[in-house]
Amino acid sequence: MAHHIAAQREEPAVNDSRNPLPPIVSMDEWRAALEQQIAKEKALTRARDKLNAERRRLPMVKVEKEYVFEGPSGKVSLLELFEGRRQLIVYHFMFGPDWEAGCDGCSWVADAMTHPAHLHARDTSFVMISRAPLDKLERYKARMGWIHPTWYSSYDSDFNFDMGVTTGNKDDPSADRGEKHGVSVFLRNGNDIYRTYFTGKRGVEYLGSHWTYLDLTAYGRQETWEDSPEGWPQTAPYVWNRRHDEYDI
């Protein structure tokens, strides 16, 4: 069997149209090119540090409305989601009430979420919230094999509408509604809650390490929007990624 498998692993032709490769250079040339790249990446890191510093100085808005969510232990308020900590991060996971499965892109993000102890050590709680009923969230979470974070349903709440992640007329059940992903950050001062930050679209990529890992590779994300050398393997974005149990690999 081992011989049969090895026989199938033929070395591809070097740098032809079926197997594009980066230029092959000497060790000294590689190190010189790498040093130039690292210098640019360090500059970008410093620029992001400055951007993060500006984010920490943003104003905030008080959350005046009471919200109630349903979770594994029953109904809880927004205040209770903090679990006594000062900060709360909410990932708005796209999962409409009539959907049979959660968003595949949001599932990518959730696949990268790990044990919250490191956030707790910095006085920060983390949860996911969707409009789908809790029983759907629990079934999908079991299918995906997720342990963290805790997932709450905002089905009977205006929360998604007020946070701008569910569109449409919330007072008209027949109105067309759309779901958006995003991240909201809250700060607690006593029992007062403030919203300090929100981002959506590609702003959530830093939560999904799959993207950032792929950014380190020679082929990158292999999507058509990327500026890559001619012949690099690429497909359209948002069509190749799957839930982790749906890949044919």
Side-chain angles (χ1 to χ4, degrees):
M1 176 64 73
H3 174 75
H4 175 70
I5 294 175
Q8 293 179 332
R9 295 175 178 169
E10 297 180 1
E11 288 296 322
V14 176
N15 210 19
D16 64 14
S17 60
R18 297 169 301 161
N19 184 46
L21 296 171
I24 300 173
V25 298
S26 68
M27 179 63 74
D28 288 342
E29 291 174 303
W30 179 80
R31 285 175 174 163
L34 179 62
E35 287 177 2
Q36 292 181 12
Q37 179 67 24
I38 293 299
K40 294 176 183 178
E41 292 180 4
K42 286 183 177 180
L44 179 61
T45 297
R46 289 190 289 269
R48 177 160 291 278
D49 288 342
K50 292 180 180 179
L51 191 64
N52 291 340
E54 293 175 8
R55 184 185 299 109
R56 291 192 291 272
R57 289 163 175 78
L58 284 174
M60 59 187 185
V61 60
K62 188 174 183 180
V63 178
E64 302 285 0
K65 189 180 292 187
E66 296 287 336
Y67 298 104
V68 177
F69 310 94
E70 188 175 5
S73 300
K75 294 187 180 298
V76 294
S77 66
L78 181 61
L79 181 62
E80 289 173 309
L81 296 184
F82 283 79
E83 296 183 327
R85 300 181 183 93
R86 289 294 306 277
Q87 299 187 122
L88 170 68
I89 300 172
V90 172
Y91 182 75
H92 301 284
F93 192 115
M94 292 171 58
F95 200 152
D98 57 342
W99 297 12
E100 294 306 315
C103 165
D104 52 3
C106 291
S107 298
W108 259 57
V109 177
D111 277 340
M113 295 177 183
T114 57
H115 201 287
H118 309 292
L119 295 176
H120 294 174
R122 307 310 278 169
D123 212 11
T124 302
S125 293
F126 188 99
V127 301
M128 297 196 303
I129 296 178
S130 302
R131 276 209 313 132
L134 182 63
D135 62 330
K136 285 191 173 184
L137 304 185
E138 292 288 291
R139 286 198 302 270
Y140 189 66
K141 185 175 183 179
R143 169 187 164 183
M144 294 288 102
W146 296 330
I147 300 175
H148 309 290
T150 308
W151 204 352
Y152 293 91
S153 170
S154 59
Y155 180 70
D156 291 322
S157 168
D158 291 338
F159 182 75
N160 274 48
F161 294 98
D162 294 346
M163 297 297 111
V165 293
T166 297
T167 61
N169 187 346
K170 65 183 177 183
D171 299 318
D172 182 2
S174 64
D176 289 337
R177 292 172 177 171
E179 303 294 330
K180 298 180 179 180
H181 69 272
V183 179
S184 289
V185 185
F186 301 91
L187 178 67
R188 179 179 66 85
N189 185 29
N191 290 334
D192 293 331
I193 300 173
Y194 301 88
R195 193 182 190 191
T196 64
Y197 183 68
F198 173 83
T199 189
K201 298 183 178 179
R202 292 188 62 191
V204 308
E205 289 182 356
Y206 291 94
L207 304 178
S209 60
H210 312 290
W211 289 296
T212 49
Y213 274 120
L214 287 173
D215 284 342
L216 299 179
T217 67
Y219 292 151
R221 305 184 194 189
Q222 302 171 47
E223 295 181 343
T224 51
W225 64 270
E226 291 180 293
D227 181 4
S228 294
E230 185 176 354
W232 250 223
Q234 289 185 324
T235 62
Y238 311 122
V239 298
W240 65 272
N241 56 296
R242 304 284 187 271
R243 298 172 184 89
H244 65 239
D245 62 350
E246 293 178 342
Y247 285 106
D248 185 19
I249 55 175

